[in-house]
Amino acid sequence: KAGVTQTPRYLIKTRGQQVTLSCSPISGHRSVSWYQQTPGQGLQFLFEYFSETQRNKGNFPGRFSGRQFSNSRSEMNVSTLELGDSALYLCASSLNRQGAQDGYTFGSGTRLTVV
Amino acid sequence: GESVGLHLPTLSVQEGDNSIINCAYSNSASDYFIWYKQESGKGPQFIIDIRSNMDKRQGQRVTVLLNKTVKHLSLQIAATQPGDSAVYFCAETPNDYKLSFGAGTTVTVRA
């Protein structure tokens, strides 16, 4: 069974640009979450979706947004990129409505570098 | 074996020894806890979990202990192997929709 798939694996963008990252959850999983990982801040929660609805959002500026499609695939978008947005962006999926309580499986992440 | 009483960012352990990694969590409402292992270039990988109605749970070579009184979680790894070298994170669930992660401990196994 395929795991959580994130594309692309690596990305280099220029300050001011915008970027879209993609996540395909494990087949049948309906809850998808996004996390940002940096050396300084560690793993920080961005947002969580279930059945195309955002149920929770972390403390990130409005430049960070996401969505989930009817097939549970999810995308996140960052507009007006800043150098500090350089990070590993991780997607995680879970089977059921209780999301975190069911345990999350993580993808390998997208490494975003902003120059 | 090697053990730490408080959370330390790094832990060096001799191959074959036991390791103990500690974590303090912050939210009294959290009722589900998970330990993840992250190897270089990969996402966090589930190791073991525990619910708040338990104080100990064992897996293959790993044991998680939960002390709700002092909001402390620990991961014990028996007979540490080179493949155990990684960063280990504890995570708590303050609600159904997110995980809050600890700072992580980098474990290095000495041959």
Side-chain angles (χ1 to χ4, degrees), chain A residues 3 12 15 17-18 26 29 35 54 58 66 81 100 102 105 108:
Chain A
I12 299 175
R15 272 184 302 174
Q17 287 187 312
Q18 67 99 24
I26 291 173
H29 282 198
Y35 290 80
Q54 184 183 91
L81 284 164
D102 289 330
T105 301
S108 293

Side-chain angles (χ1 to χ4, degrees), chain A residues 31 41 75 81 94 109 112 114-115:
Chain A
S31 169
Q41 299 297 316
E75 289 181 346
L81 284 164
S94 179
L112 172 65
V114 182
V115 298

Side-chain angles (χ1 to χ4, degrees), chain A residues 9 33 35 37 43 45 48 55-56 88 90 97-109, chain B residues 31-32 34 36 38 41-46 49 51 89 93 95-103:
Chain A
R9 285 298 311 275
S33 291
Y35 290 80
Q37 186 174 26
L43 282 147
F45 170 76
E48 189 266 359
R55 299 193 295 184
N56 200 12
L88 180 66
L90 291 158
R97 175 175 296 279
Q98 287 190 291
Q101 295 281 350
D102 289 330
Y104 280 120
T105 301
F106 282 84
S108 293
Chain B
D31 59 2
Y32 179 58
I34 310 169
Y36 284 95
Q38 187 174 25
K42 298 183 180 180
Q45 177 188 1
F46 174 92
D49 58 1
R51 300 206 179 265
F89 294 94
T93 53
N95 59 49
D96 285 349
Y97 315 130
K98 67 178 281 190
L99 297 171
S100 291
F101 285 86

Side-chain angles (χ1 to χ4, degrees), chain B residues 2-75:
Chain B
E2 300 281 348
S3 68
V4 288
L6 299 174
H7 171 259
L8 292 179
T10 61
L11 176 65
S12 180
V13 59
Q14 186 69 37
E15 182 179 356
D17 285 355
N18 297 330
S19 308
I20 299 177
I21 306 166
N22 292 302
C23 174
Y25 64 93
S26 58
N27 196 320
S28 300
S30 293
D31 59 2
Y32 179 58
F33 306 87
I34 310 169
W35 279 99
Y36 284 95
K37 171 186 179 183
Q38 187 174 25
E39 297 173 286
S40 181
K42 298 183 180 180
Q45 177 188 1
F46 174 92
I47 301 173
I48 192 168
D49 58 1
I50 189 168
R51 300 206 179 265
S52 59
N53 60 351
M54 303 173 70
D55 52 22
K56 180 179 179 179
R57 188 158 189 238
Q58 289 184 289
Q60 186 176 10
R61 284 202 306 119
V62 293
T63 300
V64 55
L65 300 177
L66 174 63
N67 185 329
K68 295 182 288 295
T69 303
V70 295
K71 293 192 287 187
H72 183 266
L73 201 62
S74 68
L75 176 70

